[in-house]
Amino acid sequence: MRPARALIDLDALRHNYRLARQFHGGQAFAVVKANAYGHGALACALALRGEADGYAVAFIDEALALRAGGIAAPILLLEGVFDTAELLEAARQWLWVAVHHPAQVEMIERTSLPAPLRVWIKVNSGMNRAGFSPDAVRTIWKRLIVDGKVKDCGFMTHFARADEPDAEATAEQIRTFDAATRSLPGERSLANSGAILAWPDSHRDWARPGIMLYGADPIPGEGHGLLPVMTLASEIVAVRELAPGDPLGYGARFVAQRRTRVGLVAMGYADGYPRTAPDHVPVAVDGQIASLIGRVSMDMLTVDLTDLPEAGIGSAVELWGKQVSVNRVAQSAGTISYELLCNVKRVDFAWENGEG
Ligand SMILES: *Cc1c(COP(=O)(O)O)cnc(C)c1O
């Protein structure tokens, strides 16, 4: 069997969820959208069952998969609903619905619902991507609660620069949100992972931790005690020797400067390892740090084993996980941990420590 695997440590996930709630106080939606950032949404949600106050997903299909898998806790749809059929289903399944643009308000006004709806009004406090402008919030709130269809109405916003501890922009967004919602009743939710860790002023009733649950610190180097959840692993499947001057792989990007022992690893960009990773990104082989050399192919990549004479066919390879941080790989490849984790596919998944 091809040895490419993603090992998901559900104990680490629970540890990170507890840490998020401890940093923030109050309650926390475990954000499990996009298949739990590539970690397996249902497996992750079940591992947090009895512990998570609620979950958050992007859209209703993701929520219905969790309900079908036995998740009874609140589930928030971060993008809300896209049509009336989804609105009816959301009410039936007791899903919590974000409302971020006027068409969603009109949809609620003209639809008779099978059950009272819980909504979260999304305030555009400065990111300018989704949400109502601050001066519209009070009117939207009145329209939603006037006829009794909406049972509970909370207020949320999202930060553009929460992972930059010094960005005045976040303090400004908090002030804008507070002014827009002043004296309106209802729960508040502001903080994603970056704000949970760096912006205590944003901590209110509900946190929305995503990336930190999976152990990738959005504010690297801060040592918050997060544990990596995914280990992307494979094995050395072949070894060859290059003489000085020999090229390696597509485009001959790497050319040997010395006698070089090359290990071939069953892992490529079709599995989610980034093709943009340059030479010398760290790769752990049998627990020791080696370097990627040569361009990443669709199904394979190559590592320098010259200084690891013990390593050979069958040696364990960690592309990221507890020894090589996914943040390090992402930074080298010109992207963020979020994208790398979401992109893992085709490999064999195994979930460990499922029972809490
Ligand atoms: C994805 C998302 C989150 C989680 O963000 P992280 O940076 O991963 O913690 C929180 N809130 C909203 C609205 C989101 O879309």
Side-chain angles (χ1 to χ4, degrees):
M1 201 180 88
R2 184 169 184 260
R5 296 183 311 281
L7 308 171
I8 309 298
D9 180 349
L10 296 169
D11 268 344
L13 177 77
R14 281 188 290 267
H15 167 89
N16 296 336
Y17 178 83
R18 283 173 203 147
L19 219 51
R21 209 165 45 176
Q22 211 172 307
F23 276 117
H24 184 275
Q27 297 184 281
F29 295 108
V31 180
V32 294
K33 63 187 175 184
N35 197 27
Y37 294 42
H39 293 67
L42 184 57
C44 289
L46 289 173
L48 292 171
R49 191 158 56 169
E51 185 140 3
D53 308 300
Y55 299 88
V57 296
F59 55 95
I60 196 166
D61 307 64
E62 294 181 325
L64 296 178
L66 298 183
R67 282 280 183 266
I71 298 296
I75 306 176
L76 169 62
L77 308 182
L78 293 165
E79 285 184 68
V81 293
F82 290 83
D83 58 38
T84 310
E86 289 191 3
L87 178 60
L88 293 168
E89 188 65 6
R92 258 182 237 121
Q93 298 279 349
W94 193 229
L95 303 176
W96 295 4
V97 175
V99 174
H100 66 85
H101 68 91
Q104 291 174 324
V105 180
E106 288 153 24
M107 210 188 293
I108 291 168
E109 285 174 330
R110 63 166 192 264
T111 308
S112 63
L113 296 173
L117 195 66
R118 166 139 192 177
V119 305
W120 288 80
I121 295 178
K122 185 153 179 178
V123 181
N124 171 24
S125 58
M127 190 173 183
N128 297 328
R129 182 184 63 169
F132 295 100
S133 70
D135 44 327
V137 169
R138 183 169 298 271
T139 310
I140 294 296
W141 171 75
K142 279 196 189 131
R143 280 174 60 188
L144 284 169
I145 60 149
V146 68
D147 59 7
K149 282 183 207 167
V150 168
K151 184 173 153 281
D152 273 302
C153 185
F155 298 91
M156 61 185 288
T157 196
H158 195 51
F159 298 120
R161 302 176 66 183
D163 49 3
E164 300 170 53
D166 301 324
E168 170 61 17
T170 302
E172 184 63 33
Q173 282 196 256
I174 297 169
R175 283 194 291 274
T176 302
F177 176 85
D178 284 342
T181 56
R182 183 154 298 131
S183 79
L184 294 176
E187 293 187 308
R188 311 286 199 260
S189 174
L190 285 73
N192 68 340
S193 300
I196 289 166
L197 296 171
W199 290 96
D201 282 356
S202 73
H203 297 177
R204 303 295 161 83
D205 302 295
W206 286 84
R208 302 189 310 272
I211 195 69
M212 72 181 292
L213 298 182
Y214 309 103
D217 198 322
I219 304 167
E222 292 291 307
H224 294 113
L226 300 173
L227 300 176
V229 175
M230 181 192 291
T231 299
L232 186 65
S234 189
E235 288 176 9
I236 304 284
V237 295
V239 174
R240 85 176 56 247
E241 298 266 347
L242 301 182
D246 283 349
L248 172 64
Y250 283 120
R253 182 178 77 180
F254 178 87
V255 177
Q257 304 296 305
R258 56 171 179 173
R259 284 194 68 77
T260 301
R261 213 165 143 257
V262 180
L264 183 67
V265 180
M267 180 69 65
Y269 63 76
D271 304 299
Y273 192 89
R275 182 176 174 278
T276 49
D279 289 337
H280 308 305
V281 172
V283 174
V285 179
D286 284 340
Q288 294 190 277
I289 297 300
S291 292
L292 176 79
I293 48 173
R295 199 167 271 166
V296 174
S297 313
M298 186 181 290
D299 314 306
M300 292 175 259
L301 56 80
T302 38
V303 296
D304 189 345
L305 299 181
T306 315
D307 300 325
L308 301 179
E310 310 282 285
I313 291 175
S315 285
V317 174
E318 177 189 297
L319 287 313
W320 60 66
K322 298 189 192 320
Q323 297 163 80
V324 176
S325 92
V326 66
N327 273 329
R328 171 73 165 82
V329 179
Q331 195 186 20
S332 307
T335 183
I336 54 176
S337 60
Y338 298 69
E339 189 183 29
L340 293 190
L341 295 170
C342 287
N343 276 346
V344 173
K345 52 189 180 296
R346 200 176 70 167
V347 303
D348 251 37
F349 274 76
W351 291 271
E352 300 169 329
N353 310 315
E355 297 305 314

